Amino acid sequence: MPNAPGTKTRSGIVTLLTDFGTSDHFVGVMKGVIAKIAPDVQVVDITHEIGPQRVKEARWVLGQSRRWFPIGTVHLAVVDPGVGSERRAIAVEAEGHFFVGPDNGLLSDLVGAGKAKVREITNRAWMMNQVSATFHGRDVFAPAAARLASGAGFASAGRLVTNATWLGKGEPVRTGKRFWTGEVVHVDRFGNLITNLTPEAVPDLGVRPAVFRAGFREMAGLSATYAAGQPGEVIALIGSHGGVELAVNGGNAEKALGLGLGAPVDVEIL
Amino acid sequence: MPNAPGTKTRSGIVTLLTDFGTSDHFVGVMKGVIAKIAPDVQVVDITHEIGPQRVKEARWVLGQSRRWFPIGTVHLAVVDPGVGSERRAIAVEAEGHFFVGPDNGLLSDLVGAGKAKVREITNRAWMMNQVSATFHGRDVFAPAAARLASGAGFASAGRLVTNATWLGKGEPVRTGKRFWTGEVVHVDRFGNLITNLTPEAVPDLGVRPAVFRAGFREMAGLSATYAAGQPGEVIALIGSHGGVELAVNGGNAEKALGLGLGAPVDVEIL
Amino acid sequence: MPNAPGTKTRSGIVTLLTDFGTSDHFVGVMKGVIAKIAPDVQVVDITHEIGPQRVKEARWVLGQSRRWFPIGTVHLAVVDPGVGSERRAIAVEAEGHFFVGPDNGLLSDLVGAGKAKVREITNRAWMMNQVSATFHGRDVFAPAAARLASGAGFASAGRLVTNATWLGKGEPVRTGKRFWTGEVVHVDRFGNLITNLTPEAVPDLGVRPAVFRAGFREMAGLSATYAAGQPGEVIALIGSHGGVELAVNGGNAEKALGLGLGAPVDVEIL
């Protein structure tokens, strides 16, 4: 990839994370816009199946995926219930990556990161000539990501802002000396319930024995793999994302527990 | 991208639009075929979720997406109920782009465009050695698109034809002095009902006050954004495609109205 | 693509075949891992909609798709019920292509191919620094595929093994002098039931008259195209994969017959 003088190195990759689905042409059109501006950039889909307008879910998925990409990648994330209203479009430089999206909390993890720089995207030369009221993914965000990915200076996006939306750390709440209440932050295709209970947030998790409670069930201890436990038994394990997930050997924890996104999951460290 | 001498410049991009879905290997196989013939070409998916054999829907989606791609892009569109019958395979050069697909009306907008050139694809050297009766996407269309994208001369496809299938302009019908009847041409993932009522087809639409009628509901005037209107209220607005769509703030217009693809939507210009 | 001295030529393509779906970030993360190791490699999705943990279905889809890609392509296939248990990770060199996946029978066709070489992937330098118990797609398989695709020597993967899992040829069973019983190996998006009854496995199929029996229906002879037969009639034809499939003109054979994956389909050669 070409790198403009004085700018940070770019990886030549733009990732896409949206709630647009893939049955419409929206994602394809964004890729066309990017290809026109930055023909050598490679676009990688993270997912387009975020639940419609679920900003928090998108935030979590972005947190799970961004660090697996090369330094200098531009992450374009659009879950945007407020499109066409006064919410700002922002670009963030943090942890060696760039991020582009609406200022609605989706980019909280980056906005809140050390040494992060946040700019409002106001440079008209970075947008399509006509900006529609309903599809800023195409008219504002995709062109901005394409400019950044092809080496345009971050400072050209617009002025620095210091009051970007921040939704908190999204961590579990301590509810007693040895008790924490987390929540289901993602349900994967296999029905595994992924929580925000991590060893970073809950001291001694994964070290000392623990009991997990969710719905009307209690799960004792952490299993090593999905294949542990009896068929049909709900188990807790540290998933590939580094936190606790609830799973059923050969089955579906979402159905077995009747729980979904946002459901509380308690842990007691024994 | 290499450009053969004497041919138009190519963008190095092939877009794909089909009703094949993504649960089968069909789309991946087409990409393999393209990569074998044209290793440097980049393939961009528009969508593969066109309703099975819905030629008109594919035509509309192609109309919405093609102009966002660079000049010299090859658009490969396969919704092909007649595969294996006598319907022709065609390639079209129009508006600086190339189009490849079955001659069943899918490419009507291009066939009907000014200065369009239409050729029947008959060059055996452009096809797979064995052409199956059921998968021309792989055996005829993908290889033809790959040849065009890598710079092969358009004239090599086959002879010019002047009687390619044209399904009309797909515009609303004037039903009274101030009345037009359009139709739902697409339902997006959010349940927004997208119509063919555009300012180009309906004079004074977006300029003078208007009333829309669909199902048993009446929508007065055009809203500025999805966030307008009371929660649950059906509103009409000019969507990102440039025409009227019906939407519900925080909800689903398809469900609220009980309407789908092809449903009539009336407008009265006051 | 760069090709290391002394190694086979690589096509610069990695194909992906998984049961991960596209609603999670898993596939995107694998692409990030590949891009970090092999920035110039192009990734092509075959499908991510294999039924959860359906190893046999994945094997069939891989068999349908691999030969359409250029020689030197790396095919990465992950349907892995045993992740985290003792099952091995393997790489196979066969028919001029490379294959990476779990040693659970998914790669049976390659393991069983003439002159195939199978290696256990044990080279730690080919894996992520930390290997999770639940996501070897990211931590073991994607990095191995990226190394192979960027020209690393096949021998570096690990030691040769000769006892990789082989699930048999997956062919129909001869049940009488003129009778064979095959099975449905795939149901496509249109509800067509695709079987393992091929002219290679059943002598005279496609040459002599035949009767097919499935569910409570009997289909006489092979039709030429999907458009053959009365609307609603179940027909048998040789599909684009080279074997018999059951289809309904303008309809859905899966629903019409009430049959799915694994259902027996009999043929009598008359």
Side-chain angles (χ1 to χ4, degrees):
Chain A
M1 284 304 307
N3 284 294
T7 62
K8 282 216 175 187
T9 297
R10 306 298 197 266
S11 71
I13 297 174
V14 171
T15 75
L16 287 187
L17 172 64
T18 77
D19 63 348
F20 294 164
T22 52
S23 59
D24 293 300
H25 51 286
F26 303 136
V27 172
V29 163
M30 287 172 72
K31 291 178 182 174
V33 166
I34 292 171
K36 255 191 188 168
I37 296 170
D40 295 328
V41 159
Q42 186 188 346
V43 179
V44 177
D45 300 298
I46 301 302
T47 182
H48 302 290
E49 306 299 332
I50 298 294
Q53 314 195 339
R54 284 186 174 162
V55 172
K56 277 176 69 179
E57 191 185 12
R59 172 194 182 175
W60 185 84
V61 170
L62 180 61
Q64 289 301 308
S65 48
R66 58 190 160 85
R67 65 192 166 110
W68 300 98
F69 285 84
I71 289 291
T73 293
V74 179
H75 302 273
L76 173 50
V78 189
V79 175
D80 193 13
V83 62
S85 70
E86 291 300 306
R87 72 96 189 88
R88 299 180 294 194
I90 57 173
V92 184
E93 183 177 2
E95 301 177 358
H97 293 232
F98 297 89
F99 302 85
V100 171
D103 179 24
N104 60 12
L106 202 173
L107 300 180
S108 286
D109 291 340
L110 297 318
V111 163
K115 297 187 187 169
K117 285 182 193 155
V118 185
R119 291 183 182 275
E120 185 176 358
I121 302 172
T122 53
N123 185 346
R124 286 290 315 185
W126 278 30
M127 304 178 194
M128 303 305 279
N129 286 337
Q130 288 202 301
V131 175
S132 69
T134 55
F135 192 5
H136 287 191
R138 177 190 70 196
D139 301 332
V140 176
F141 298 122
R147 301 270 171 200
L148 279 171
S150 61
F154 179 62
S156 306
R159 69 188 175 87
L160 284 171
V161 294
T162 54
N163 59 348
T165 305
W166 186 70
L167 297 178
K169 289 179 108 180
E171 290 189 344
V173 176
R174 188 165 194 165
T175 51
K177 194 177 173 193
R178 296 167 300 122
F179 292 85
W180 280 261
T181 295
E183 65 176 304
V184 174
V185 288
H186 188 65
V187 182
D188 76 15
R189 158 168 158 92
F190 303 100
N192 298 316
L193 300 172
I194 298 166
T195 76
N196 60 350
L197 296 168
T198 63
E200 291 74 40
V202 180
D204 290 334
L205 180 67
V207 178
R208 293 180 53 82
V211 174
F212 301 90
R213 294 183 186 90
F216 297 98
R217 299 255 207 147
E218 193 170 285
M219 285 68 64
L222 286 166
S223 302
T225 72
Y226 292 120
Q230 303 300 313
E233 184 188 354
V234 181
I235 58 173
L237 77 168
I238 299 283
S240 63
H241 67 297
V244 171
E245 63 189 77
L246 306 179
V248 172
N249 182 8
N252 184 306
E254 182 186 25
K255 288 180 186 162
L257 290 170
L259 299 178
L261 207 62
V265 179
D266 295 315
V267 59
E268 176 182 1
I269 304 293
L270 300 179
Chain B
M1 283 303 306
N3 284 292
T7 61
K8 280 217 177 187
T9 297
R10 306 296 197 267
S11 71
I13 297 174
V14 171
T15 75
L16 287 188
L17 173 64
T18 76
D19 63 348
F20 294 163
T22 53
S23 58
D24 293 300
H25 51 285
F26 302 137
V27 171
V29 163
M30 288 172 71
K31 291 177 182 174
V33 167
I34 292 170
K36 255 191 188 169
I37 296 170
D40 295 328
V41 159
Q42 186 189 347
V43 179
V44 177
D45 300 298
I46 302 302
T47 182
H48 302 289
E49 306 299 333
I50 298 294
Q53 314 194 340
R54 283 185 175 164
V55 172
K56 276 176 70 179
E57 190 186 12
R59 173 195 182 175
W60 185 83
V61 170
L62 180 60
Q64 289 300 309
S65 47
R66 57 190 160 84
R67 66 194 166 107
W68 299 98
F69 285 85
I71 289 291
T73 293
V74 179
H75 302 273
L76 173 49
V78 189
V79 176
D80 194 13
V83 63
S85 70
E86 292 300 306
R87 72 97 189 86
R88 300 179 295 194
I90 57 173
V92 184
E93 183 177 3
E95 301 177 357
H97 293 232
F98 297 89
F99 302 85
V100 171
D103 179 24
N104 62 12
L106 202 173
L107 301 179
S108 287
D109 291 340
L110 298 318
V111 162
K115 297 188 186 169
K117 285 181 193 157
V118 185
R119 292 183 181 275
E120 185 177 357
I121 301 172
T122 53
N123 185 346
R124 286 290 315 185
W126 277 30
M127 304 177 193
M128 302 306 278
N129 286 336
Q130 288 201 301
V131 175
S132 70
T134 56
F135 192 6
H136 286 191
R138 176 191 71 195
D139 300 333
V140 176
F141 298 121
R147 300 270 170 201
L148 279 172
S150 61
F154 179 63
S156 306
R159 68 185 175 88
L160 285 170
V161 294
T162 53
N163 59 348
T165 306
W166 185 70
L167 297 178
K169 291 180 107 178
E171 290 189 345
V173 176
R174 187 166 195 166
T175 51
K177 193 177 175 193
R178 295 167 300 122
F179 292 86
W180 281 260
T181 297
E183 66 175 304
V184 174
V185 288
H186 189 65
V187 182
D188 75 16
R189 160 169 158 91
F190 303 99
N192 299 316
L193 300 171
I194 298 166
T195 77
N196 61 349
L197 297 169
T198 62
E200 291 73 40
V202 179
D204 289 334
L205 179 67
V207 178
R208 293 181 53 84
V211 174
F212 302 89
R213 295 184 186 89
F216 296 100
R217 299 255 207 147
E218 192 170 286
M219 284 70 63
L222 285 166
S223 302
T225 73
Y226 292 121
Q230 302 301 314
E233 183 187 354
V234 181
I235 58 174
L237 78 167
I238 299 284
S240 62
H241 68 296
V244 171
E245 63 189 79
L246 306 179
V248 172
N249 182 9
N252 184 306
E254 182 184 25
K255 288 180 187 164
L257 290 169
L259 299 178
L261 207 62
V265 178
D266 295 315
V267 58
E268 176 182 359
I269 304 293
L270 300 178
Chain C
M1 282 303 307
N3 285 293
T7 61
K8 282 216 175 186
T9 297
R10 306 296 198 268
S11 71
I13 296 175
V14 171
T15 75
L16 287 187
L17 173 63
T18 76
D19 63 348
F20 294 163
T22 52
S23 59
D24 293 299
H25 52 286
F26 302 137
V27 172
V29 164
M30 288 173 71
K31 291 178 182 174
V33 167
I34 292 170
K36 254 191 188 169
I37 296 170
D40 294 329
V41 159
Q42 186 188 346
V43 179
V44 177
D45 300 299
I46 302 303
T47 182
H48 302 289
E49 306 298 333
I50 299 293
Q53 314 195 340
R54 285 186 172 162
V55 172
K56 276 175 69 179
E57 190 185 13
R59 173 196 181 172
W60 185 84
V61 170
L62 180 59
Q64 288 301 308
S65 47
R66 58 190 159 84
R67 66 193 166 107
W68 299 98
F69 285 84
I71 289 292
T73 292
V74 179
H75 302 273
L76 173 49
V78 189
V79 175
D80 193 13
V83 62
S85 70
E86 292 300 306
R87 72 98 189 87
R88 300 179 295 195
I90 58 173
V92 185
E93 183 177 3
E95 301 178 357
H97 294 232
F98 297 90
F99 302 85
V100 171
D103 179 23
N104 61 12
L106 202 173
L107 301 179
S108 287
D109 292 339
L110 299 317
V111 163
K115 298 188 187 170
K117 285 181 194 157
V118 185
R119 291 183 182 275
E120 185 177 358
I121 301 172
T122 54
N123 185 346
R124 286 291 314 187
W126 277 30
M127 304 177 193
M128 302 305 280
N129 287 337
Q130 288 201 303
V131 175
S132 70
T134 55
F135 192 6
H136 286 191
R138 176 191 70 196
D139 300 333
V140 176
F141 298 121
R147 300 269 171 201
L148 279 172
S150 60
F154 179 62
S156 306
R159 70 186 175 87
L160 284 170
V161 294
T162 54
N163 60 348
T165 305
W166 185 69
L167 297 178
K169 290 179 106 177
E171 289 189 345
V173 176
R174 188 166 192 164
T175 51
K177 193 177 173 192
R178 294 168 301 123
F179 292 85
W180 281 260
T181 296
E183 66 175 304
V184 175
V185 288
H186 188 66
V187 182
D188 75 15
R189 160 168 157 92
F190 303 99
N192 298 316
L193 300 171
I194 298 167
T195 77
N196 60 350
L197 296 168
T198 63
E200 291 74 40
V202 179
D204 290 334
L205 180 68
V207 178
R208 293 181 53 84
V211 175
F212 302 89
R213 295 183 186 89
F216 296 98
R217 299 255 206 147
E218 192 170 286
M219 286 67 66
L222 285 165
S223 302
T225 72
Y226 292 121
Q230 302 301 313
E233 184 187 356
V234 181
I235 58 174
L237 77 168
I238 300 283
S240 63
H241 67 297
V244 171
E245 64 188 78
L246 306 179
V248 172
N249 182 9
N252 184 306
E254 182 185 24
K255 288 181 186 163
L257 290 169
L259 298 178
L261 208 62
V265 178
D266 295 314
V267 59
E268 176 182 359
I269 304 293
L270 299 178

